[in-house]
Amino acid sequence: MDLLCILSSLLISYLIFKLWKRIDSKRDQNCYILDYQCHKPSDDRMVSTQFSGEIILRNKHLRLNEYKFLLKAIVSSGIGEQTYAPRLFFEGREECPTQQDALSEMEEFYIDTIEKLLERNKLSPKDIDVLVVNVAMLNSTPSLSARIINHYKMREDIKVFNLTAMGCSASVISVDIVKNIFKTYKNKLALVVTSESLSQNWYNGNNRSMILANCLFRSGGCAVLLTNKRCLSGKAMLKLKCLVRTHHGAREDSYNACVQREDELGRVGIHLDKTLPKAATRAFVDNLKVITPKILPVTELFRFMFCLLLKKLRRNPSKGSTAGAQAAPKAGINFKTGIDHFCIHTGGKAVIDAIGYSLDLSEYDLEPARMTLHRFGNTSASSLWYVLGYMEAKKRLRRGDRVFMISFGAGFKCNSCVWEVVRDLNVGEALGNVWNHCIDQYPPKSIANPFLEKYGWIREEDDHDTFKLREEVM
């Protein structure tokens, strides 16, 4: 009998030990953000609407209608007067860039962000175990990741990933790579470097579906430090809760919605197809279908199912007249029951408006994305971190809050993730937040472009003086 008790005790102890080991190992797989640093280019690279118009004027292939189309796109884009562009634009060389222009643009970015990030966290480049670099429109040899390793003399056994052509959703993809590495390797530090190269990607043709991309993007970038070290969890800013990637590349219309190609005269640019809004909506909906059950409470999911069922029943013709259908409750999910902050990709005013409408968000929820678009423009994959920086600088992020990141990219992709705030983030000044120099000025009373009041044709009036400069140039 005593032997049976001893064996039973040993078996129970063994099961408890195995359960504890399994739970304990999960703690080493957590993905934390220790710190991040967004890039603020120097003021001599600042772009105004007037300067944007001057750059457009230098394109000799544009006719009056295309010039007018681009100016309308710029003034209605939501982009402000203090965004940044590569240096060669100020030298008038955007139509004849060199490889060195692109490399210098990237070097200026990563030297600024990585050095600040490592110095602030008292880390050596040799402390980095994983490096993930994503720059969609630059493919150099050696790779950009190799150039970073060479510049900082990182370790020989560092795990390196160099992503290209992933588009504006590459930040979430990079985080997903790091998350999966952390599942296998313990006590690691990862550095994610995200930016976009604009120097070699100016389209100098007149195809309307391709010239629009010239107005959308601005210079920027971000370096993010992540870890799964348990000893650093107390110093972390955010903890990854879940991540979902949706890729519709198998659908022809989605695949062709955003493509780099040559126009009829062989000039390379980014073609934005008319199917792009539909492709983005479809990818967004499919992504929400997967991530919603992971981030919202069960009570909200049941409420949504009940409202949806009630709405369908009231629309059933056999149940009576159409008056019942008109009185049906709105079958919409309240994402604010599980999410506190919405970090939306600044793809443009229309993108922010569409996501805000779909998720039933308030202007307070959309403010970080709108202000980021206004101050820094669309910086491609790094834009999410500028939006996060705005929230931090405004001292919105409190311990336990959840942040929902949403991004889109060519392919067509929609990637999203949810972060939990580990500690109150109210010390933006000490952390070198990119917004510290101007956060008190935001939000401004109006973000309307000043040229809306200057030019009559924007108010749908005839004002040929607007194009006098172009006529003189031609």
Side-chain angles (χ1 to χ4, degrees):
M1 188 69 179
D2 292 339
L3 180 61
L4 182 60
C5 290
I6 294 173
L7 291 175
S8 300
S9 301
L10 288 175
L11 179 60
I12 293 173
S13 300
Y14 175 76
L15 293 175
I16 293 175
F17 173 76
K18 293 294 288 183
L19 180 62
W20 176 82
K21 286 289 289 182
R22 184 175 181 83
I23 295 174
D24 188 61
S25 65
K26 291 288 186 182
R27 295 174 62 188
D28 293 319
Q29 297 178 5
N30 290 327
C31 181
Y32 296 98
I33 290 181
L34 277 181
D35 200 357
Y36 64 99
Q37 178 66 53
C38 293
H39 178 50
K40 179 184 175 296
S42 55
D43 290 345
D44 61 341
R45 293 172 55 187
M46 195 171 286
V47 179
S48 64
T49 301
Q50 181 174 346
F51 183 64
S52 297
E54 293 173 3
I55 297 174
I56 296 170
L57 273 172
R58 296 201 290 253
N59 184 349
K60 304 302 182 182
H61 301 106
L62 289 184
R63 298 181 295 269
L64 186 62
N65 285 337
E66 284 87 25
Y67 180 64
K68 183 176 179 179
F69 169 74
L70 285 177
L71 284 181
K72 280 188 175 183
I74 291 172
V75 299
S76 61
S77 65
I79 297 176
E81 300 293 291
Q82 295 180 311
T83 57
Y84 304 95
R87 294 192 183 279
L88 82 164
F89 283 72
F90 298 88
E91 300 168 1
R93 297 190 296 107
E94 66 275 359
E95 293 190 7
C96 53
T98 65
Q99 178 80 349
Q100 188 56 46
D101 288 325
L103 295 175
S104 297
E105 178 190 5
M106 290 296 97
E107 186 176 88
E108 186 174 343
F109 146 67
Y110 70 70
I111 288 179
D112 172 61
T113 55
I114 295 178
E115 288 189 1
K116 287 179 179 177
L117 190 63
L118 295 178
E119 181 181 357
R120 191 162 61 235
N121 290 275
K122 297 179 173 57
L123 292 172
S124 164
K126 293 186 181 297
D127 293 327
I128 303 299
D129 303 292
V130 182
L131 174 64
V132 184
V133 179
N134 65 75
V135 177
M137 304 298 292
L138 175 62
N139 186 15
S140 65
T141 303
S143 67
L144 188 58
S145 58
R147 294 176 186 274
I148 293 175
I149 291 172
N150 175 263
H151 180 84
Y152 289 101
K153 309 305 177 188
M154 293 178 170
R155 299 201 319 261
E156 295 179 357
D157 63 342
I158 188 171
K159 293 174 176 57
V160 187
F161 300 85
N162 195 91
L163 307 182
T164 60
M166 291 291 104
C168 299
S169 64
S171 278
V172 179
I173 296 173
S174 299
V175 170
D176 190 38
I177 291 174
V178 172
K179 181 197 73 170
N180 289 323
I181 292 174
F182 284 174
K183 288 181 178 180
T184 305
Y185 299 93
K186 297 181 180 180
N187 299 318
K188 299 299 179 183
L189 279 172
L191 179 64
V192 169
V193 181
T194 175
S195 184
E196 189 56 274
S197 176
L198 305 182
S199 294
Q200 291 185 304
N201 294 288
W202 178 263
Y203 172 67
N204 63 347
N206 59 9
N207 187 311
R208 280 205 177 192
S209 68
M210 299 170 75
I211 57 177
L212 188 59
N214 288 348
C215 305
L216 299 179
F217 296 99
R218 295 294 189 270
S219 294
C222 185
V224 187
L225 189 63
L226 303 103
T227 188
N228 63 346
K229 291 186 178 182
R230 200 182 305 181
C231 62
L232 294 177
S233 61
K235 297 181 181 179
M237 304 173 71
L238 303 164
K239 176 183 176 182
L240 183 65
K241 300 300 293 183
C242 66
L243 187 150
V244 172
R245 293 168 57 181
T246 302
H247 201 308
H248 281 179
R251 305 180 65 108
E252 289 299 321
D253 55 344
S254 295
Y255 176 81
N256 292 307
C258 179
V259 180
Q260 184 182 32
R261 72 178 195 189
E262 295 179 337
D263 65 9
E264 298 81 4
L265 298 178
R267 295 172 295 221
V268 178
I270 302 295
H271 165 72
L272 303 178
D273 197 78
K274 62 183 180 181
T275 62
L276 179 59
K278 183 178 179 181
T281 301
R282 187 165 50 227
F284 184 44
V285 169
D286 286 354
N287 187 275
L288 287 179
K289 288 179 181 178
V290 178
I291 200 170
T292 297
K294 301 175 184 289
I295 63 177
L296 295 186
V298 176
T299 52
E300 175 59 22
L301 297 176
F302 274 120
R303 186 202 66 81
F304 170 73
M305 292 171 61
F306 175 77
C307 290
L308 188 61
L309 178 62
L310 186 60
K311 190 173 183 178
K312 287 183 177 180
L313 289 175
R314 292 190 176 186
R315 282 181 176 176
N316 192 331
S318 63
K319 295 295 181 180
S321 66
T322 58
Q326 295 175 352
K330 181 180 179 181
I333 294 183
N334 183 8
F335 280 86
K336 296 181 185 179
T337 58
I339 299 297
D340 302 286
H341 310 282
F342 297 83
C343 198
I344 301 169
H345 167 57
T346 58
K349 183 177 180 295
V351 174
I352 298 171
D353 289 342
I355 294 178
Y357 175 81
S358 299
L359 302 184
D360 198 20
L361 304 181
S362 66
E363 278 303 312
Y364 177 84
D365 299 319
L366 298 177
E367 179 185 307
R370 292 198 194 282
M371 297 306 105
T372 298
L373 179 64
H374 182 265
R375 177 60 184 86
F376 293 100
N378 178 2
T379 58
S380 190
S382 65
S383 66
L384 291 174
W385 306 107
Y386 287 89
V387 179
L388 183 68
Y390 183 89
M391 297 176 184
E392 181 193 355
K394 282 294 185 181
K395 302 180 180 180
R396 292 188 178 190
L397 303 178
R398 301 295 180 184
R399 181 178 181 182
D401 286 356
R402 291 194 169 196
V403 182
F404 189 16
M405 283 187 171
I406 307 166
S407 63
F408 301 89
F412 194 86
K413 302 181 287 293
C414 176
N415 301 322
S416 64
C417 62
V418 174
W419 299 91
E420 181 181 331
V421 182
V422 177
R423 55 181 172 83
D424 291 349
L425 302 181
N426 55 6
V427 286
E429 187 69 36
L431 295 179
N433 191 301
V434 72
W435 285 92
N436 285 339
H437 70 289
C438 63
I439 192 61
D440 293 336
Q441 303 169 21
Y442 282 87
K445 292 182 180 179
S446 173
I447 59 175
N449 192 289
F451 279 66
L452 285 171
E453 296 297 327
K454 185 174 181 179
Y455 292 143
W457 60 268
I458 299 177
R459 299 192 300 269
E460 297 183 351
E461 299 173 7
D462 291 330
D463 184 3
H464 297 290
D465 291 338
T466 299
F467 305 104
K468 185 180 296 184
L469 177 59
R470 176 166 180 81
E471 292 169 0
E472 292 175 355
V473 172
M474 296 177 64

